[in-house]
Amino acid sequence: MDSKNASKRILNPKTTHREFFGVPGSAAVMLGTPAVVGIWYFSCNEKVGCQLPTTRSQWSDIAADIINYNAYLSSEAITYYALWWSWLVMLCFVIPCSYAEGTLLRNGERLRYPINGLSSLLVTTVTALLAYANYGTAPYIWIADHFFQLAVASLLFSTAQALFVYLYSFRRSSQDLPAGSDKKPVLLALAGNSGNPIYDFFIGRELNPRVSGLDLKVFNELRPGIMGWILLNVSFAIKQHHQFGALSNSMWLAIIPQIWYCIDTLLFETKVLTTMDVTTDGFGWMLSFGDLTWVPCMYSLQARYLSFHPVHHPPVVAAFIAVFALVSFLVFRLSNSEKNAFRANPSDPAVGHLKYITTESGSKLLVSGWWGMARHINYTGDWMYGLAQCLATGFETPMTYFFSAYFLVLLLHRNYRDECKCRDKYKKDWDRYCELVPYMFIPHVI
Ligand code: NDP
């Protein structure tokens, strides 16, 4: 084996294990998830109400609606969507920013990321207020009324983007570089180099595709979808007010926690750089679609439902939901912040009193405080927070609880992946940690 081949093997080894049941599973996800967006739209909207189709005839009605629908594509929606994405790219470059370094990559590089997500949101908010001052509620009503066309536009855009990054990942392999070149070959995701185009396109072939300095993965993860989610929520609230002359308390209970969640994500923008999505996963269809279509379109379902079906909770119920949301958020935020502070500086006065074990890898693991209660108490808080937003929609339909059900599956899968990662990294120290902290999500229960 020559040295060129050896270095190629070490840097970008062939993927042998395929997640999501390989090609059939990936194809099913790529067909199934957009179908879910469609089914949820066609069975939960202003005209038909919001009932989960259960009988054969209900399913055939929905199928007929989907087939006969003749307004999937809107050139206006596609144009506005492209403008939205381009606007946020522009802000990423022109707004003054600090820089944060990502984790050390297998090729010895550490990427630098501009940190100006929150100021981009601020500038976008001011622009949105100016639009309101000039055009009134019309642009927001348009967004609410063209939700589905915008969802289709984002699907087209995310698929085109995934195709682009897949093809782009072939631009420079180790074989293309002359000996002694100071350029580095493209770094592929360990899970995205199977050689099967369908699977690699789906899971993401390149780890951190960058075009003219724009890191596509982190940009997509934090900006167009997260801020689009806020814009959709605000538009649905305006739509409700426009139709019914007032905002229901349920609308406040659904959108304030969600908007705060988005702001929190941008406040802690640097923390995304250490998540599995950024350090380990490739950028392919799954993340592109997830960031651009799934998050804004499915996560805003509660506000969309309330825009045509206001629910008025008695004050005591509203207060219960608000307190439940607040407590859940505190569990989520305080547990994450405790670990972040500890990872940044274990002797920080805020965490210096906590007990920890030192592992053979050199890393320390907290065994008291939030992380002594359960190994993923942050997931529990996050899930409960999502449930509070669903509770805001009342109990007339199970459809608005989609987020809770889906998020449960997502967090269980994430928990499984993280436990595997930690077991692999910490080996017998992880067993020791599990003995000291036996519960996964809820102290003394599970
Ligand atoms: P976590 O923030 O839970 O981080 C897990 C990592 O923390 C482990 O891999 C390990 O990394 C370290 N760790 C584990 N136990 C300890 C300990 N006892 N002491 C110190 N370090 C420890 O993972 P995620 O990135 O998955 O989640 C971050 C947040 O984002 C969560 O609250 C989650 O709910 C949320 N999230 C939300 C999503 C959404 O769609 N809304 C999607 C995904 C996540 P190491 O030791 O290597 O440092």
Side-chain angles (χ1 to χ4, degrees):
M1 183 197 331
D2 65 28
S3 62
K4 219 157 77 175
N5 270 340
S7 71
K8 181 181 144 217
R9 282 225 184 129
I10 291 162
L11 188 64
N12 289 322
K14 198 94 177 152
T15 305
T16 47
H17 170 72
R18 295 181 190 177
E19 292 179 50
F20 293 93
F21 304 105
V23 175
S26 311
V29 174
M30 286 192 280
L31 294 173
T33 44
V36 168
V37 177
I39 290 168
W40 249 256
Y41 175 74
F42 283 99
S43 43
C44 186
N45 63 54
E46 219 163 340
K47 284 195 195 113
V48 301
C50 195
Q51 285 312 321
L52 190 66
T54 46
T55 64
R56 217 186 150 108
S57 83
Q58 284 169 329
W59 276 109
S60 42
D61 286 350
I62 291 204
D65 284 350
I66 291 177
I67 292 164
N68 296 329
Y69 191 69
N70 58 7
Y72 281 101
L73 290 180
S74 146
S75 55
E76 270 178 309
I78 293 172
T79 309
Y80 290 141
Y81 191 82
L83 285 173
W84 169 249
W85 196 90
S86 313
W87 160 259
L88 293 171
V89 170
M90 193 264 295
L91 292 185
C92 190
F93 283 105
V94 302
I95 293 184
C97 61
S98 56
Y99 285 90
E101 288 205 325
T103 48
L104 188 63
L105 301 172
R106 312 197 297 284
N107 61 2
E109 252 185 319
R110 237 182 235 283
L111 298 174
R112 264 167 37 107
Y113 295 87
I115 303 298
N116 59 8
L118 202 58
S119 27
S120 294
L121 176 63
L122 199 67
V123 172
T124 305
T125 306
V126 171
T127 312
L129 287 171
L130 289 175
Y132 177 73
N134 272 306
Y135 305 106
T137 55
Y140 302 95
I141 306 281
W142 188 92
I143 291 173
D145 288 343
H146 291 80
F147 163 80
F148 191 62
Q149 285 76 16
L150 288 166
V152 172
S154 73
L155 169 66
L156 295 177
F157 199 91
S158 58
T159 304
Q161 177 173 250
L163 189 60
F164 167 77
V165 288
Y166 175 71
L167 298 173
Y168 187 61
S169 72
F170 289 95
R171 70 193 175 283
R172 201 171 54 232
S173 73
S174 3
Q175 287 141 318
D176 304 331
L177 292 172
S181 165
D182 55 357
K183 284 195 170 168
K184 289 206 155 89
V186 167
L187 186 64
L188 304 183
L190 287 175
N193 189 24
S194 73
N196 182 294
I198 296 174
Y199 181 77
D200 293 348
F201 163 78
F202 166 74
I203 205 89
R205 191 166 182 270
E206 185 170 349
L207 187 60
N208 306 109
R210 289 188 156 202
V211 180
S212 305
L214 179 72
D215 188 285
L216 285 170
K217 184 161 60 170
V218 171
F219 171 77
N220 278 274
E221 183 105 359
L222 289 176
R223 300 182 191 217
I226 294 276
M227 296 187 204
W229 179 13
I230 299 181
L231 184 61
L232 282 172
N233 271 346
V234 170
S235 302
F236 289 131
I238 290 175
K239 171 87 185 183
Q240 189 197 61
H241 193 276
H242 178 77
Q243 294 220 113
F244 300 95
L247 279 181
S248 63
N249 58 8
S250 54
M251 182 61 96
W252 289 110
L253 288 167
I255 69 167
I256 295 290
Q258 293 197 348
I259 293 175
W260 181 248
Y261 191 82
C262 297
I263 294 174
D264 180 84
T265 305
L266 295 171
L267 258 173
F268 294 91
E269 191 174 359
T270 52
K271 297 301 163 226
V272 86
L273 305 180
T274 52
T275 59
M276 269 185 290
D277 306 28
V278 174
T279 59
T280 316
D281 298 339
F283 186 59
W285 190 89
M286 187 171 67
L287 277 183
S288 183
F289 169 81
D291 293 340
L292 298 186
T293 307
W294 190 258
V295 166
C297 298
M298 292 307 289
Y299 289 19
S300 62
L301 171 68
Q302 294 91 328
R304 188 166 71 75
Y305 167 72
L306 294 170
S307 75
F308 61 83
H309 187 96
V311 173
H312 301 279
H313 293 295
V316 66
V317 175
F320 170 80
I321 297 172
V323 171
F324 184 64
L326 184 66
V327 171
S328 311
F329 180 77
L330 289 176
V331 174
F332 159 79
R333 174 45 43 228
L334 295 177
S335 56
N336 278 317
S337 293
E338 186 177 78
K339 176 164 66 69
N340 293 341
F342 181 76
R343 276 279 171 261
N345 175 15
S347 43
D348 181 328
V351 290
H353 62 286
L354 295 173
K355 291 188 194 141
Y356 57 81
I357 56 170
T358 304
T359 66
E360 275 180 16
S361 76
S363 246
K364 298 178 169 83
L365 290 171
L366 285 165
V367 292
S368 74
W370 288 103
W371 296 82
M373 288 186 214
R375 300 201 293 278
H376 256 134
I377 192 114
N378 56 342
Y379 287 2
T380 310
D382 205 353
W383 185 78
M384 286 164 51
Y385 194 54
L387 177 65
Q389 296 149 26
C390 295
L391 285 172
T393 62
F395 296 104
E396 284 177 53
T397 171
M399 289 201 84
T400 53
Y401 285 77
F402 172 82
F403 179 71
S404 285
Y406 157 77
F407 203 38
L408 184 67
V409 175
L410 180 142
L411 290 177
L412 288 175
H413 179 243
R414 217 174 162 88
N415 178 64
Y416 168 75
R417 283 184 73 189
D418 194 59
E419 288 266 328
C420 291
K421 179 210 116 175
C422 289
R423 201 167 288 286
D424 195 43
K425 177 173 174 183
Y426 294 116
K427 308 211 162 50
K428 61 180 178 14
D429 291 319
W430 189 252
D431 296 331
R432 192 154 60 100
Y433 173 58
C434 292
E435 269 171 36
L436 292 167
V437 186
Y439 300 103
M440 211 123 65
F441 302 114
I442 306 174
H444 306 289
V445 181
I446 179 173

